[in-house]
């Protein structure tokens, strides 16, 4: 390993440690009360190193949220070849639910919302570079399904919000307003119902039935 490669590896390791420590402290203390010096100590880096990677607490928090989104974005929007529209959309919705619950996105979003009055620029940054970016990824997938003939031509920018809105009723909103809200036991069935409603409006083929529990057991 050359010196430049080694230095890059060390830098990336330190950045990852900073993001991990920052996420834990932001979730524990909130944005306003989180201290950069404490984040540096928890990450086992100097304050100077912390500021070398992130020039402000606002920049660091935005990076924490974007990092949480990226954890599943790479697997959420995949090649649609060989997969039905139902399978593609259900996989996306299921991974989204995983991220909101297991990836602590509901908790992070609660922190963002709490800081809207005091840090409106931070909230706008998170919305633009995280929420809207994800809508863009989903729109690209929907447009590919339209081009393939699985969905009828329509305003994909609007339809991705229709689908996301349905899923969020079960995944996001209860989690934002109820501390400790857990994944519903019938999450799969709720997602199936959302996909059914979406395909009934935008699909080009007779509605494909979701597999029953007996079918799942038999496979």
């Amino acid at each position: 390993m050359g010196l430049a490669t080694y230095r890059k590896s060390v830098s990336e390791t330190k950045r990852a440690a900073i993001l991990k420590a920052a996420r834990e402290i932001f979730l524990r203390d909130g944005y306003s009360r989180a201290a950069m010096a404490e984040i540096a100590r928890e990450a086992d880096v100097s304050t100077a190193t912390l500021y070398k990677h992130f020039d402000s607490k606002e920049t660091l928090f935005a990076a924490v949220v974007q990092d949480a989104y990226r954890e599943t974005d790479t697997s959420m929007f995949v090649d649609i070849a060989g997969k039905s529209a139902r399978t593609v959309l259900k996989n996306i919705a299921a991974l989204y639910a995983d991220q909101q619950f297991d990836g602590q996105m509901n908790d992070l979003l609660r922190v963002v919302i709490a800081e809207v009055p005091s840090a409106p620029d931070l909230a706008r940054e998170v919305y633009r570079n995280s929420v809207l970016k994800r809508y863009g990824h989903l729109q690209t997938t929907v447009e590919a399904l339209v081009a393939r003939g699985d969905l009828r031509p329509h305003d994909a920018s609007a339809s991705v919000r229709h689908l996301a809105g349905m899923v969020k009723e079960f995944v996001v909103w209860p989690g934002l307003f109820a501390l400790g809200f857990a994944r519903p036991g019938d999450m799969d069935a709720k997602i199936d119902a959302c996909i059914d409603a979406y395909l009934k409006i935008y699909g080009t083929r007779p509605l494909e039935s979701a597999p029953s529990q007996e079918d799942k057991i038999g496979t």
Side-chain angles (χ1 to χ4, degrees):
M1 180 185 294
L3 181 58
T5 302
Y6 170 75
R7 286 176 174 170
K8 181 180 179 182
S9 175
V10 170
S11 178
E12 290 174 349
T13 299
K14 289 182 177 180
R15 186 179 190 277
I18 292 168
L19 289 172
K20 181 177 182 296
R23 182 192 294 204
E24 293 173 356
I25 291 173
F26 282 131
L27 288 174
R28 186 191 71 202
D29 299 339
Y31 176 79
S32 297
R33 293 189 301 276
M36 293 289 272
E38 184 177 3
I39 292 171
R41 285 195 299 273
E42 186 68 24
D44 196 25
V45 300
S46 67
T47 304
T49 296
L50 173 59
Y51 279 103
K52 181 179 178 181
H53 286 273
F54 305 99
D55 60 9
S56 68
K57 184 164 69 170
E58 182 174 321
T59 301
L60 174 56
F61 183 78
V64 166
V65 176
Q66 290 169 20
D67 185 63
Y69 271 90
R70 278 194 295 268
E71 286 176 2
T72 56
D73 272 354
T74 54
S75 57
M76 188 177 288
F77 305 99
V78 296
D79 187 355
I80 66 173
K83 301 181 181 71
S84 68
R86 165 179 285 283
T87 298
V88 170
L89 296 174
K90 181 166 182 177
N91 287 346
I92 290 173
L95 284 167
Y96 176 73
D98 289 343
Q99 186 181 57
Q100 297 305 120
F101 290 114
D102 304 334
Q104 299 179 299
M105 277 309 307
N106 283 339
D107 298 327
L108 285 170
L109 287 176
R110 194 182 296 112
V111 174
V112 173
I113 292 168
E115 298 300 330
V116 169
S118 59
D121 290 342
L122 170 67
R124 280 192 292 269
E125 173 76 6
V126 169
Y127 181 67
R128 181 173 60 251
N129 289 323
S130 300
V131 179
L132 292 183
K133 185 174 289 187
R134 176 182 281 170
Y135 282 153
H137 291 325
L138 180 53
Q139 181 176 337
T140 298
T141 300
V142 166
E143 288 171 346
L145 292 171
V146 170
R148 197 174 69 177
D150 290 358
L151 301 176
R152 65 177 179 78
H154 65 279
D155 181 354
S157 176
S159 83
V160 299
R161 286 161 173 78
H162 298 159
L163 178 58
M166 288 189 287
V167 175
K168 285 178 181 180
E169 286 296 327
F170 303 108
V171 172
V172 175
W173 304 127
L176 290 183
F177 292 99
L179 287 173
F181 177 77
R183 180 198 304 268
D186 60 347
M187 191 74 252
D188 283 349
K190 293 182 186 303
I191 288 176
D192 279 330
C194 295
I195 303 301
D196 279 345
Y198 184 85
L199 291 176
K200 189 170 184 179
I201 298 170
Y202 298 107
T204 57
R205 300 182 177 123
L207 193 60
E208 174 188 350
S209 298
S212 67
Q213 282 301 116
E214 292 182 357
D215 291 335
K216 291 179 182 178
I217 292 172
T219 58

